[in-house]
Amino acid sequence: MKKVYALIAAAGLVLGASVASANDTVEGSAAGAGISDSVTVKASVEKYAAIIGLIQTVTTDASGKASSSIGGEAEFSVESNCDVNITITGTDLNNGSDNLDTTWTLDTTTAEGVALPQTYDPSGAVDHTATFGATLGAISAQAAGEYSANLTVTVAAL
Amino acid sequence: MCNLATLYKTLGNKFLLCGLVFICSLPVALFADEPSTQDEQQIKVQAMNEPYASIQAAPGTDVYIGPFTGESNQVLPPDSVFPEVAIFTVETNVDLNLTYKIDVLHNGGMGKLETQFAIKQSNVDPSSFGSSYLNDNGKFLLDVPCLFDAGTITAMQGQLAKEHKAYSVYYRLSTGATISSQPAGEYTGGVSLTVSANLANYP
């Protein structure tokens, strides 16, 4: 029974302390500099990013000659309020029936599927370039015409 | 026995000295300043009640606004319904100058949130903070033109307060024009109220 009373008393003390601290009172002489009291205000900003202006800018057309190259570039910018990883994934160039094994590279050196870190830059967005390219096979291995591929850019907070 | 003798010697000297002082002062006490007729004397006494004040800030804990999603130009609250951030209840015996200092919320580095505030005075009982004028959501409808940019403003509590006066502070925060204007993370600021006696009407 004594333990129960002790627990109740302890709980009362804790409750009393919390109530006492809920409203802070300052008092004293109002003469001269007076007295002051304050309240601290806090806010938080979640991690956020934007991919801006993803657009294909350059395309190198293949002549149709065997083993010639075809490719191009896509440019975009990433703005964030934190450090992020940027990853690109792309599909092969395809005309609906013929497929060209396509290589994608981010900012010249980072391979498709590999994360490129971008540190927080208070000055704004940072530009990036995704490069794609493929090599034709035999002349008849791929039909003449338009080929297309899809590029996906992923930005994730570190 | 030695101890009794020592005690007698010590106390005996002091009793002798006190007796001499008493006998010498008797004539002075008996004959000095005795009025020959009935007399009346008055004395004016003065006391000073110094300017004094108390401030009770509520809540006593940190106030949290948000979170912001991180988008640019995001305003919290999104409309004109402002959260009541703090209530200062002031009790005093003198006219007061009230100085509010509102800090821009910052992250300790270069990041900051645009901070505006408004102040409303209400006479409420300190035991019922805010309940008399807040809506069901605990928020107060306020006109945007009432807002001030963060900084310091001074007002005056115009008359001797016979009751507690309560001053509510409302905040409006917003992110900057770009995402990167404010890095993700915690931001801290605060509002302080300083009261000092305005002695213009008190000689």
Side-chain angles (χ1 to χ4, degrees):
Chain A
M1 200 61 182
K2 284 183 178 176
K3 286 184 178 176
V4 174
Y5 287 143
L7 280 174
I8 293 171
L13 282 173
V14 171
L15 184 63
S18 62
V19 168
S21 63
N23 291 316
D24 168 33
T25 301
V26 174
E27 67 174 61
S29 172
I35 58 172
S36 66
D37 202 355
S38 63
V39 171
T40 300
V41 181
K42 291 187 172 182
S44 67
V45 176
E46 303 290 338
K47 293 178 178 179
Y48 198 82
I51 302 167
I52 306 161
L54 178 57
I55 186 171
Q56 180 180 327
T57 57
V58 178
T59 301
T60 304
D61 294 331
S63 63
K65 184 180 178 183
S67 302
S68 64
S69 296
I70 185 172
E73 289 180 357
E75 292 184 346
F76 61 93
S77 301
V78 172
E79 184 178 12
S80 69
N81 62 3
C82 59
D83 295 346
V84 294
N85 271 336
I86 304 169
T87 309
I88 62 165
T89 54
T91 61
D92 288 339
L93 289 163
N94 189 282
N95 69 347
S97 58
D98 298 326
N99 200 67
L100 298 175
D101 186 16
T102 307
T103 301
W104 291 88
T105 307
L106 175 59
D107 290 349
T108 310
T109 56
T110 305
E112 176 185 2
V114 176
L116 174 69
Q118 174 181 305
T119 56
Y120 165 66
D121 187 346
S123 63
V126 178
D127 297 333
H128 298 280
T129 303
T131 307
F132 64 95
T135 303
L136 302 187
I139 295 173
S140 58
Q142 55 282 309
E146 288 213 348
Y147 287 72
S148 63
N150 288 323
L151 167 66
T152 303
V153 178
T154 303
V155 177
L158 284 174
Chain B
M1 289 297 286
C2 286
N3 289 338
L4 283 174
T6 307
L7 186 64
Y8 174 77
K9 191 175 179 181
T10 307
L11 293 179
N13 288 339
K14 289 188 176 174
F15 281 137
L16 184 62
L17 183 62
C18 290
L20 282 172
V21 170
F22 177 72
I23 290 168
C24 292
S25 63
L26 266 179
V28 177
L30 288 174
F31 302 111
D33 201 26
E34 185 180 354
S36 56
T37 59
Q38 189 174 354
D39 195 6
E40 184 176 296
Q41 293 188 354
Q42 280 189 334
I43 186 170
K44 184 179 180 183
V45 296
Q46 287 183 314
M48 179 69 179
N49 187 24
E50 296 289 342
Y52 201 81
S54 74
I55 308 173
Q56 186 178 58
T61 55
D62 295 349
V63 176
Y64 187 82
I65 300 175
F68 287 89
T69 62
E71 295 172 79
S72 58
N73 295 316
Q74 186 186 9
V75 177
L76 288 180
D79 48 27
S80 296
V81 180
F82 291 83
E84 189 178 48
V85 169
I87 302 175
F88 294 99
T89 302
V90 178
E91 185 179 12
T92 183
N93 60 3
V94 68
D95 288 356
L96 289 178
N97 290 322
L98 310 170
T99 302
Y100 298 91
K101 182 174 179 295
I102 283 81
D103 303 324
V104 173
L105 266 72
H106 63 88
N107 68 345
M110 294 177 63
K112 60 184 179 182
L113 297 171
E114 293 176 15
T115 308
Q116 294 179 298
F117 70 100
I119 294 167
K120 180 179 181 291
Q121 177 185 330
S122 296
N123 295 332
V124 297
D125 185 277
S127 63
S128 59
F129 282 124
S131 60
S132 61
Y133 52 87
L134 298 181
N135 65 15
D136 292 340
N137 296 322
K139 295 176 180 177
F140 176 71
L141 194 61
L142 200 70
D143 293 330
V144 171
C146 297
L147 292 168
F148 298 93
D149 290 332
T152 301
I153 64 166
T154 299
M156 198 178 86
Q157 184 169 295
Q159 60 184 12
L160 184 66
K162 298 293 186 186
E163 58 191 331
H164 298 89
K165 285 187 180 294
Y167 301 90
S168 300
V169 182
Y170 302 86
Y171 265 51
R172 181 179 188 265
L173 303 177
S174 59
T175 54
T178 62
I179 295 169
S180 53
S181 299
Q182 53 288 313
E186 287 274 329
Y187 287 73
T188 303
V191 50
S192 68
L193 171 62
T194 300
V195 301
S196 59
N198 181 347
L199 299 175
N201 298 327
Y202 297 87

